[in-house]
Amino acid sequence: MINMETLHHSFPHLAGAAARLGLWLKNTEACRVAYLKIISPVENETYFRLRGTVTTVGRSPDCALQLLDDTVSRHHCKIIKSDGDYWVQETGPTNPVLLNSRPIARHRLEPGDRLALGNSRLILVEKPQTG
């Protein structure tokens, strides 16, 4: 990977365009909003917008995202936003978190990733921010 200083000195005619592209990419990421698409055997399919740094997920009413599913732990996992990326982290050893059918303790999420918590499924979805 080439840094901006090297680019500026070696290819001055490209440096301005690269800087604008970097700014455009950064602004484009800022205009995207992350949601969890919730597929549950006891609720209708819905979307939950991820806000803030940490989103707690579980059966307990004190979780930011409460799942009404008896197979989900009271505090099943956390979705953490760090440096623009989303991570999923287990919060206890009782019930596993499956990411794309594989058990994980902590893992970075990509759009389209499927989380299995008990009988419920969560899918990370990014949408353009509107208005």
Side-chain angles (χ1 to χ4, degrees):
M1 176 163 255
I2 190 167
N3 66 33
M4 286 302 293
E5 185 176 335
T6 303
L7 180 66
H8 181 70
H9 290 297
S10 301
F11 305 97
H13 60 285
L14 295 178
R20 287 189 298 278
L21 177 61
L23 181 61
W24 178 80
L25 289 172
K26 185 175 182 178
N27 288 338
T28 301
E29 289 173 8
C31 294
R32 303 211 43 89
V33 180
Y35 292 84
L36 291 174
K37 180 178 180 181
I38 304 164
I39 303 169
S40 168
V42 294
E43 298 178 67
N44 290 332
E45 183 177 296
T46 58
Y47 288 85
F48 178 86
R49 184 174 175 176
L50 293 171
R51 299 177 189 268
T53 309
V54 178
T55 302
T56 54
V57 182
R59 201 176 66 244
S60 176
D62 66 347
C63 288
L65 173 54
Q66 182 185 19
L67 298 174
L68 302 177
D69 179 346
D70 290 338
T71 62
V72 171
S73 297
R74 287 183 305 113
H75 298 98
H76 206 107
C77 68
K78 294 177 184 178
I79 307 295
I80 302 163
K81 185 175 184 180
S82 177
D83 294 327
D85 291 324
Y86 286 94
W87 295 76
V88 60
Q89 179 177 320
E90 277 187 324
T91 55
T94 307
N95 292 320
V97 174
L98 301 179
L99 173 64
N100 301 322
S101 303
R102 295 191 175 118
I104 55 95
R106 179 177 165 90
H107 201 277
R108 188 169 64 85
L109 295 172
E110 296 287 339
D113 278 345
R114 300 175 68 88
L115 296 171
L117 285 68
N119 291 326
S120 297
R121 303 296 176 261
L122 307 176
I123 303 169
L124 183 65
V125 177
E126 286 188 338
K127 296 181 178 183
Q129 185 170 356
T130 57

